Amino acid sequence: MSDTTGLPTLDVEAWTCPAPLRERPRVVMGHGGGGVLSAELVQQIFAPAFGGEALAQLGDSAVLSLGGARLAFSTDSYVVRPLFFPGGSIGDLAVNGTVNDLAMSGARAAYLSCGFILEEGVELDTVTRVARAMGAAARTAGVEVATGDTKVVEAGHGDGIFVNTAGIGVVPPGVDLRPQRVVPGDVVIVSGAIGVHGVAIMSVREGLEFGVEIASDCAPLGGLVEAMLAVTPDLHVLRDPTRGGLAAALNEIASASGTGVVLQERAVPVPPSVANACAILGLDPMYIANEGKLVAFVPREHADAVLGAMRAHPLGADAVIIGEAVEAHPGMVVARTGLGGTRVVDLPIGEQLPRIC
């Protein structure tokens, strides 16, 4: 049996395998990794404690109605180590990460807040470099840092600098980006090469050399999203595949939409430098974080036009179609390999590379 993609239909109900034991009395690093442990933390502790319809969306940002306007609202915290790396810094991440979360709702970020948690003893020159990087990134993204806060913890109780940012933006009329809108037949597009940010962080943190410097892809995606929406407001969902990488983003969308996702593995753009680093270290680039890429589910009739608009933008020049949503195996992501086989691309339990954002 096969579906419309030509792939064999998977009888997942007949599969059995032992589930890993995840009951833990204490927080572990994997709880911050964007995978299964992160989802359990949110679903079992935070969501029941806070409740509310807005939180139930569990998207990159919440879309709220206030005074007749539709606002996107998001917050994120950054604990990356090291603070500075090829292609950016914790300051760039703090701005672009929140700007991008808002963009995934179709909103153009307008204002950010900024909270600094500083460790006693950190050099003020380092704080200045981070603040200046944030200011420059904000100007590039067209957003204003409007308010903030600073706290200091004792030496040995932090790691130099942690940053929190929150942001708000306005969602244009007619834009409704959420995974529940995905339907079988939607085309999956990724805006460019994956895995670059995580490997860039790892290379400087661990002192590894791969024959070429790998720089983070950290960038604000608001302009790229505007170019896509100019083609049609009828995009179904956008995600920036940060923690947990492309695999986590696709699994979250498949689960929330009740559709399956089929990828053509050879179509997924992985730079040779990232592929080589992953091969050496036994990592899968599908699970490595990105900070300047997005994945889009687009109605098939608009896919070519949207892809063309993406490729005309500097941050989408290497955009490519990598798969489609299907009716088969709902909630599951599978990849067709170069040898003609099929493998399941599951949601990661924890994180391959901690402290990358």
Side-chain angles (χ1 to χ4, degrees):
M1 295 174 61
S2 62
D3 56 27
T4 57
T5 67
L7 294 174
T9 301
L10 301 178
D11 184 13
V12 297
E13 293 183 356
W15 291 10
T16 60
C17 66
L21 182 63
R22 295 194 297 269
E23 290 76 9
R24 300 174 184 270
R26 301 179 186 275
V27 171
V28 297
M29 290 300 294
H31 281 115
V36 172
L37 291 177
S38 291
E40 290 179 350
L41 192 67
V42 171
Q43 294 165 2
Q44 296 177 13
I45 295 180
F46 298 132
F50 303 147
E53 294 182 4
L55 182 63
Q57 300 176 31
L58 294 180
D60 287 334
S61 59
V63 177
L64 314 168
S65 295
L66 187 64
R70 294 173 67 225
L71 301 178
F73 179 38
S74 185
T75 186
D76 210 340
S77 299
Y78 298 87
V79 298
V80 65
R81 180 171 59 87
L83 297 176
F84 304 94
F85 46 84
S89 69
I90 192 172
D92 300 280
L93 284 179
V95 171
N96 293 335
T98 297
V99 165
N100 292 347
D101 282 347
L102 295 172
M104 297 307 102
S105 294
R108 183 71 181 222
Y111 297 100
L112 299 181
S113 71
C114 171
F116 275 86
I117 299 175
L118 307 177
E119 182 182 17
E120 181 184 24
V122 68
E123 294 182 358
L124 288 177
D125 284 348
T126 300
V127 180
T128 299
R129 287 181 64 191
V130 172
R132 288 178 175 173
M134 290 188 69
R139 288 186 289 273
T140 299
V143 66
E144 181 179 346
V145 178
T147 187
D149 181 54
T150 304
K151 295 291 188 296
V152 177
V153 299
E154 297 89 342
H157 290 261
D159 200 359
I161 300 175
F162 297 152
V163 181
N164 172 273
T165 49
I168 58 173
V170 178
V171 180
V175 174
D176 182 16
L177 299 175
R178 50 192 174 89
Q180 291 78 10
R181 296 195 64 220
V182 172
V183 296
D186 280 358
V187 172
V188 182
I189 304 175
V190 68
S191 63
I194 68 166
V196 179
H197 174 73
V199 171
I201 296 294
M202 179 186 61
S203 65
V204 294
R205 181 191 299 171
E206 307 300 336
L208 302 175
E209 296 184 4
F210 301 108
V212 61
E213 182 181 76
I214 303 174
S216 170
D217 58 350
C218 183
L221 296 172
L224 176 60
V225 172
E226 286 186 352
M228 297 166 68
L229 291 173
V231 173
T232 175
D234 189 30
L235 306 179
H236 284 171
V237 69
L238 302 177
R239 283 289 170 88
D240 56 336
T242 52
R243 295 179 305 164
L246 183 62
L250 293 175
N251 272 278
E252 290 169 3
I253 292 170
S255 177
S257 65
T259 63
V261 176
V262 173
L263 304 178
Q264 300 297 326
E265 193 167 52
R266 284 188 171 177
V268 178
V270 180
S273 56
V274 171
N276 292 339
C278 289
I280 292 170
L281 299 170
L283 303 176
D284 187 337
M286 293 282 287
Y287 294 91
I288 294 180
N290 313 272
E291 286 292 346
K293 299 297 187 298
L294 64 80
V295 59
F297 282 64
V298 181
R300 185 171 297 278
E301 62 268 25
H302 301 307
D304 289 341
V306 170
L307 183 63
M310 294 174 72
R311 288 176 172 172
H313 190 279
L315 295 179
D318 297 322
V320 63
I321 294 172
I322 61 171
E324 66 175 319
V326 297
E327 189 174 355
H329 49 81
M332 179 177 288
V333 180
V334 301
R336 185 170 187 176
T337 69
L339 298 177
T342 301
R343 72 178 180 101
V344 175
V345 181
D346 207 353
L347 187 67
I349 297 294
E351 186 172 27
Q352 292 186 119
L353 304 173
R355 303 279 301 277
I356 42 72
C357 63

